Amino acid sequence: MNSDGTVNVRVIYPSARKPAEREFSLRTPVCQVKAFALGEFGITEGADSQNPANQVVFFLFHGRTKVEDLNQPLSAFHKGNQQEMVFRLIREVIVG
């Protein structure tokens, strides 16, 4: 954690060449990190462009744990004096 209460957050998306990175306040809800990552990677949730009957959704994982409550602040996942937090963005297709 930086002295101003922020932490560098890196989101890895397997299909992207490089991760999305930015500093966030530890009070920031995880949903804002997800929205930032989707924008940086140029991807959206919703109907699959190849098969509109299917829905595409993205989930964030911290370590091996799926983030279920996106309203939680980053501080819920922050440990000690960690300078950086890493999340993975995983795509899932729901067949309709």
Side-chain angles (χ1 to χ4, degrees):
M1 174 175 66
N2 299 324
S3 61
D4 61 355
T6 62
V7 65
N8 187 53
V9 176
R10 184 166 31 124
V11 181
I12 298 167
Y13 179 52
S15 297
R17 289 185 174 189
K18 62 180 185 170
E21 271 187 88
R22 190 177 127 194
E23 277 193 10
F24 286 94
S25 164
L26 287 173
R27 294 184 305 243
T28 303
V30 177
C31 61
Q32 289 183 16
V33 173
K34 180 181 175 183
F36 161 74
L38 291 173
E40 286 293 300
F41 296 128
I43 53 181
T44 58
E45 295 182 298
D48 186 344
S49 61
Q50 296 176 1
N51 186 347
N54 297 339
Q55 292 292 311
V56 176
V57 293
F58 292 90
F59 296 101
L60 279 178
F61 282 76
H62 185 255
R64 294 178 181 229
T65 304
K66 181 179 176 181
V67 179
E68 297 287 349
D69 181 1
L70 295 177
N71 292 315
Q72 292 181 91
L74 286 173
S75 61
F77 301 93
H78 187 261
K79 294 185 173 114
N81 290 327
Q82 230 177 334
Q83 296 288 326
E84 179 178 79
M85 297 178 70
V86 178
F87 290 89
R88 286 180 302 120
L89 189 64
I90 304 298
R91 179 180 189 258
E92 184 174 312
V93 177
I94 300 169
V95 178

